[in-house]
Amino acid sequence: MATALTFDPVTLPPEAEALRGEVRQFVADTLGNEHRRNSDFGASHDPEFSRALGQRGWIGMTWPTQYGGGGRSFFERYVMTEELLAAGAPVGAHWIADRQSGPLLLRYGTEAQREFFLPKIIAGECFFSIGMSEPDSGSDLASVRTTATPVDGGWVVNGTKLWSSGAHRNHYMITLVRTDANPDSRHAGLSQLIVDLRNSAGLTVRPIRNLAGDAEFNEVVFENCFVPADRLVGEPGNGWAQVTSELGYERSGPERFLSAFRVFVELLREVGREPTEHQAAVLGRMAAHMMTLRNMSISVAGMLESNRNPVVEAALVKELGNNFEREVPELARLVAPATASSLFRQTLEDTILHAPSFTIRGGTREILRGMIARGLGLR
Amino acid sequence: MNETTQMMLESAERLLRDACPKAVVDAAEGGQFPEALWTELEALGLPNACLGEGQGGVGLPLAEGFTLLRLAGRYAVPLPFAETLLGRALLGAEGPKEGLAGLLTIALPSPAGGFDPVPFAPWAQWVLVAREGADGALMLHCVAVKALTFSDARPGLAGDLEARLLAGVPETGGFQSPMAPTLERLRGLLALSRAVMIAGALESALELSVAYALERKQFGREIAKFQAVQQQLAVLTGEVAAALRAADAGLEALDSPREATAWAVAKARAGEAAGKGAEIAHQVHGAMGFTHEHQLHHRTRRLWAWRDQYGHEAYWQARLGRALCAAGADALWPELTATA
């Protein structure tokens, strides 16, 4: 239990703080002062912005320089991402490739895969989707039924992937498939394949509209879709371990408590310089939560930097962070002035409409609480 | 944390495990001064942890000495340990020497006028009465408790006696401490002390809850095996982790330009965790935790008491909120990420 509660203090190193100013300036120069929504909403896919970031060396910052990476620390990447998210920058296009596909290839990919994909990702020109969930496999990921059957020169894939964000416009999808139909255990016999979303026969991508009206996530149907042998990531049958490591990158970052940040900013603008006592308390409560969460999240970045595997700590950050970002619009609507601008209302409504996804994506609240309970020795 | 602090914490924990069991806390809540516990704390020099070496103290900085308060929270120490620890550090070289002997408590001017209730006034020998001078400087008066008039003492939520200071405050004189040159800093330090104590008590409440869930059987299995219980304990863990981090961040910020903000965050966040955490700990313990016989209430009643002392959540939240409003929306993110 002691490990789950120990979030050692981390002071961001000077080079990370120096980068903060650069990113802030870049955002101001590139995006100007116009109103911005939260980063992960519909308008967040912007290949031009991603390319501009790539030119700055801000994608694949922590990756080895031999592939064109920045060889920089997790702390610098942390600062870069939190600055972009807080500003509502359109980071959607390259986000998954930078956060988890690249690191996965670095850890498990072949040399040829690294040399082929990483420089393109780093340049902000190659975007990835996640192909994990299926119509009958959500939280119970080990139950996936999409199959890959070995054939001459590769694999033939059949099945359906679901909720794959950006698959309708990204280049590749790392797809979790069953390569062994009769494994020893349900966690065995899984593998990961890099599927070319733009140049594969037998592949259909259908956008699914969400309740907010966006069509961001997709159904991806494989019908005898051929994937070349050299697109297998890691060892056949090692998919479960690989997917688990990939999810670790997903859970503790600033995106887990900044999803509603623009509401906080715009509420402050509406309230103005002379808040009522109640408005001040609500704003202060948000700040107290955010500062504590950020502090915990940076501590987890420190654990990643020292090659630890902070599964429970990351789950705690996501649990607390998601609860907070769900709460922000709920608090804001009750203290916003009746005269609030339509700009504020737009930001608030966007967030209310997207809030149900906060506690589902990247592991549902219930799954994460189960992981924390395991850390407590309860299961 | 330095080696002296580490050793001090280890001996303090041994002492409290032996000298602050349930019976001692029960007796103290019944009005009996825990003489033996206090004598042992003094013998180990713990109340002098932050007093200068020149005055016979250990000379630890507050950030180190205040880590003792997490233990005071864990073991529900029924004494004004935080007030004595801080008070003696404030007396330091500037205050009257005699105040360094005996139990000391603090009378803090209330934002609404008068003074906050004075913790453990009936047991204290000395009261460090704080008064703000016309020039905004904070004057401290070390007054023998007998020279002051208090209301009748009441036990409060925790059973820790407190009383209102009614009269006897000196009009002139007093001393100034470089450690608390303003009322704001003194209030902040006391609020920080409660945040750290809350974190310690929450840690203990979580441990008790996990142990109970693993031991209590219903429907043929430990209640820890039920997902409904697991989920609640996971939520409790989150609150405990947040309170610990917020309180520690308050200690880390001591003497930095960000300290006032960090202390407001610490008290606001830990205070919130105190309420949520106590509720879950009790739910997991069922009727057993509602009995006087079980020790859980020694932690939870203090969580309920401490979250209100030296400014409740709304007080510190509003303070943070007003500062954000004064700076404006475009300064919000720079303010949240500021290091100096």
Side-chain angles (χ1 to χ4, degrees), chain A residues 162-181:
Chain A
L162 206 56
W163 319 131
S164 298
S165 290
H168 58 308
R169 48 193 175 195
N170 290 344
H171 302 87
Y172 298 97
M173 178 168 83
I174 298 188
T175 310
L176 183 67
V177 293
R178 193 158 279 295
T179 43
D180 180 351

Side-chain angles (χ1 to χ4, degrees), chain A residues 299-320:
Chain A
S299 176
V300 176
M303 299 176 204
L304 292 172
E305 180 70 17
S306 32
N307 287 318
R308 284 168 57 192
N309 187 20
V311 177
V312 180
E313 290 87 344
L316 279 166
V317 171
K318 186 174 184 301
E319 151 77 7
L320 289 165

Side-chain angles (χ1 to χ4, degrees), chain B residues 205-224:
Chain B
L206 173 63
E207 286 168 17
L208 290 171
S209 302
V210 168
Y212 185 76
L214 286 168
E215 161 200 309
R216 170 76 173 170
K217 286 190 180 159
Q218 288 289 278
F219 306 101
R221 51 186 170 151
E222 296 85 16
I223 61 169

Side-chain angles (χ1 to χ4, degrees), chain B residues 50-56 87-97 100 175-179:
Chain B
C50 299
L51 178 65
E53 288 177 280
Q55 287 79 49
R88 288 188 184 174
L90 293 168
L91 284 167
E94 287 78 18
K97 295 282 157 292
L100 295 175
F175 68 97
Q176 282 177 289
S177 164
M179 203 176 270

